[in-house]
Structures are given as C-alpha cells and as structure tokens.
Amino acid sequence: LVDGSLPEARALLVSDHTRQCVSCRRVLLEARGGVGPAAVRPSVSAPTAIPRWIRLAAAAVVALGLGLAGFTVVGNSIADHRLTATVTRGSGELQLVRADDTEILAPGEIVGSGQLLRTAKSQGSEIALADGSMVELAPRSEIELGATMRGTTVRLHRGNIIVRAADQRSGRLQVATDDCLVAVKGTIFVVDHGFKGSRVSVIEGEVEVRQAAGRELLNPGQQTTTNERLRTVAIEDQIAWSANSEQHLALLRELTSLQREVVDAVEPEELRRSTRLLDLAPADTAVYVAVPNLAEGLDEARAIVEERIASSPVLRGWWQTNVVDNGVEEQVDMVLDRLQAFGDAVGDEV
C-alpha cells in the first residue's frame, strides 16, 4: 500500500480497514514516514456565515422570551408581596409560627404571604382575604398563603378548612395540599388533609379538583378523596366543628333540593326512540347530534326557582348575594327568554 504495488481491490480493503483500526493505522503512518495518529487532522469545512437578519431575528426571540419570563416573575412577586389577610373578630386562638418563636394573633391583625398560621388544639379561627373570601380553620390546622398574577393560593399543610370564596374577577382561588389542587371562581367548599390524603366536599357552586388520578368537577353535596382507603364522610360531620355549620348545612340542603327539582323539570319524562331526523340525514353523514326541545321544561324550572326563592329565606339571601348583587339576574332572564322563543319555533327534537 505504501509503494503502490497492491492491486486496486486489495488496496481499497486495506484502506477501509485502517480507517477503523487504530493500531494498523499507526503502523501505516509510520511506514509512510508520518509522525503518528496525532498528525492526522480531519478536514474542517470553513464555517458558513449566518445571514444577519437570522441573527437579529434569533436575538429578538430570545429577548422577547426573557422579557415575558421577567414580566411573569416580577408580576408574581408583586402579587405575592401585596397579598394580605385579616384575622376576623370572633375567631379563636390563631398562632403565627416562626422559626424561633410563636405569636398569638388578635382579631384585626394583618397577616401576609409565606407566614405559617396554626390554630390551637381546642379552638378554630377565621381569616378574611382582601378579595372578600373567608377561610375558616378547624382546631389543629395549619395553612400558608401565597399569590401569583393568576390568583391566591391557600396551602393546607394539615387539618380542616372551610372556604367561602368570593367571586374572582380574574384568576382563581386555590387550595393546595400535598396531593391535590382545588380551584374555584366563587363557591363554598371544605378541604381536610392528613397523613392518609385529602378530602374535598362542596356546599355551594362548582369545584375543580386536580390530582394524580386526573381532574374532577364537584357540585353541591358531592365529595371526593385522593386515596381510596380514605373513607367518605357526611358533610355535616366534616363541618361539625364550624361555628357556621348550621348556616352551611341549611344552604346545602336548599341547593341540592332545588337542583333535583330543576333537573326533574327539564329532563324529558320518556326516552326518545324516534330516528325521524336521523333518517333524513345524507348517507355520508359522519357525525349526528340531537337534543330534545327543553323549552317547556325550562319554563317549568324557571317557575320552580322563583317559587323556592320566594318561600326560602336561605335561598333568597343566596340569590340576592350571588345573582342580583352581581348583576347576573338580568343576563339569566335574557338567556331564558331567548331559549324560550327559540324552543317555541322548533319541534320536539333539535
């Protein structure tokens, strides 16, 4: 191979072998008078120049990304710094726990983000958030508050709390435990957390519970746990410690009863078995969806709600606070009027 006496085919085989075998390549280089493998340098192509507009675009994207990230960090920091809550009057003994001491908080005192709050062994307490939400703590409970631009988070380290979440104009109020995240816009719900897991129950409104098993939506009277070995309990037992337990239970009973009556009024009495509309669809139809005309049922449900509100002080107070005061009543009436007019113009099925 050195003096060129090898046949061409054999020379190709030897060359191919020496490219893969370090020892043979060293011997070949020495025979040719080289200085060994260190003298061999792979050929490097000259770097291709990157167009200036690409460099500018890449720089702009990086700057924008850093800017947005910085804006989020700063915004979250500001929201967390501004977060405050007030110890309400009539509350029990509430402790502010520090690394080296514990301070008893009196009604009217202000607490901020990142402070560990603990209730006494025999007494609960209550705090009011700046947005009007109330957090009631059972005895032997620990919480910590935090905030971002997306909303306020109550981290429940242990114990039992009842949250009366005010209507969140933007963002969400969340309760976080070690194994679940409870997110709401405005509602009343209960969370208890211990070594075995967490239990979430709803008194009023709708609650979204996220955990390892997935996402679940709960309505009044419903309950979920994060551990199948954690048994469900009656909501009245879960909130028996609360000074407002009777008020919560009265609202829960009224709302669940009203919900059943409304569902019974809206749902058709008999299942639909006709395929008349489906038979009229083109042969190549891929998706077909049909719903019953609920106009008549909606009118009946509307009458039931109005009657129950007039006869129940509990429902009347809830309706005034959550519907009338928030300006929702006119929107509800407008939507029902439109649905009623539409329903009158179509047949039994849409």
Side-chain angles (χ1 to χ4, degrees):
L1 186 64
V2 175
D3 60 10
S5 60
L6 281 178
E8 184 179 357
R10 181 63 60 87
L12 290 174
L13 290 175
V14 174
S15 296
D16 184 64
H17 174 74
T18 55
R19 279 195 295 268
Q20 303 178 24
C21 179
V22 176
S23 300
C24 292
R25 185 164 64 249
R26 184 180 295 114
V27 173
L28 178 60
L29 289 171
E30 291 174 354
R32 286 176 170 173
V35 293
V40 179
R41 294 290 184 268
S43 60
V44 179
S45 303
T48 302
I50 301 176
R52 184 171 181 272
W53 71 270
I54 293 182
R55 296 199 302 271
L56 292 176
V61 170
V62 172
L64 179 60
L66 292 176
L68 291 176
F71 174 77
T72 301
V73 171
V74 172
N76 289 342
S77 178
I78 293 174
D80 194 54
H81 179 72
R82 290 179 175 176
L83 174 64
T84 59
T86 306
V87 182
T88 61
R89 295 186 179 279
S91 61
E93 187 177 282
L94 184 64
Q95 305 169 358
L96 173 60
V97 182
R98 300 189 182 93
D100 52 355
D101 68 344
T102 301
E103 177 187 350
I104 303 299
L105 298 175
E109 291 199 56
I110 305 297
V111 295
S113 173
Q115 295 181 319
L116 182 62
L117 307 177
R118 177 189 298 162
T119 50
K121 297 180 180 179
S122 58
Q123 289 183 305
S125 186
E126 188 178 61
I127 61 174
L129 303 182
D131 65 0
S133 299
M134 307 294 292
V135 182
E136 193 174 359
L137 293 80
R140 297 176 178 270
S141 298
E142 286 185 358
I143 68 168
E144 184 179 345
L145 302 177
T148 66
M149 292 189 296
R150 295 184 176 182
T152 302
T153 298
V154 180
R155 177 161 291 279
L156 177 60
H157 294 288
R158 66 183 174 110
N160 191 331
I161 61 174
I162 299 174
V163 179
R164 298 193 296 263
D167 184 37
Q168 305 295 301
R169 300 300 180 184
S170 62
R172 283 189 169 191
L173 176 64
Q174 300 181 136
V175 173
T177 68
D178 293 338
D179 52 6
C180 75
L181 182 67
V182 185
V184 300
K185 279 288 189 180
T187 184
I188 304 176
F189 62 101
V190 192
V191 183
D192 62 68
H193 177 65
F195 293 111
K196 294 182 179 180
S198 303
R199 182 186 292 110
V200 182
S201 304
V202 180
I203 296 174
E204 182 264 321
E206 183 180 76
V207 167
E208 178 185 355
V209 182
R210 305 172 194 167
Q211 53 176 307
R215 173 177 170 271
E216 187 175 3
L217 292 176
L218 302 179
N219 291 306
Q222 295 183 331
Q223 182 180 101
T224 189
T225 62
T226 59
N227 189 335
E228 59 183 12
R229 291 177 294 180
L230 188 64
R231 65 183 181 86
T232 57
V233 300
I235 296 181
E236 48 262 43
D237 295 334
Q238 194 179 11
I239 65 173
W241 54 269
S242 170
N244 302 311
S245 59
E246 288 300 323
Q247 176 185 346
H248 294 322
L249 290 176
L251 178 59
L252 176 61
R253 285 191 291 265
E254 291 287 355
L255 288 176
T256 51
S257 175
L258 178 61
Q259 183 181 30
R260 285 195 298 267
E261 291 186 37
V262 169
V263 170
D264 290 342
V266 173
E267 286 187 345
E269 296 182 0
E270 297 181 359
L271 294 177
R272 294 174 295 116
R273 305 183 186 279
S274 170
T275 61
R276 185 173 64 86
L277 291 183
L278 177 59
D279 295 338
L280 299 175
D284 59 349
T285 298
V287 178
Y288 171 84
V289 180
V291 296
N293 185 352
L294 303 178
E296 183 177 349
L298 285 175
D299 191 46
E300 182 180 349
R302 189 178 191 175
I304 291 174
V305 171
E306 292 174 352
E307 181 181 348
R308 290 292 302 276
I309 290 173
S311 61
S312 170
V314 174
L315 276 181
R316 189 160 57 249
W318 174 83
W319 185 267
Q320 180 69 37
T321 301
N322 294 275
V323 180
V324 178
D325 292 348
N326 289 331
V328 181
E329 187 174 37
E330 293 182 1
Q331 299 178 26
V332 172
D333 289 338
M334 179 181 66
V335 170
L336 290 177
D337 288 340
R338 289 184 177 181
L339 288 175
Q340 187 71 44
F342 176 76
D344 292 341
V346 299
D348 295 333
E349 190 175 43
V350 182

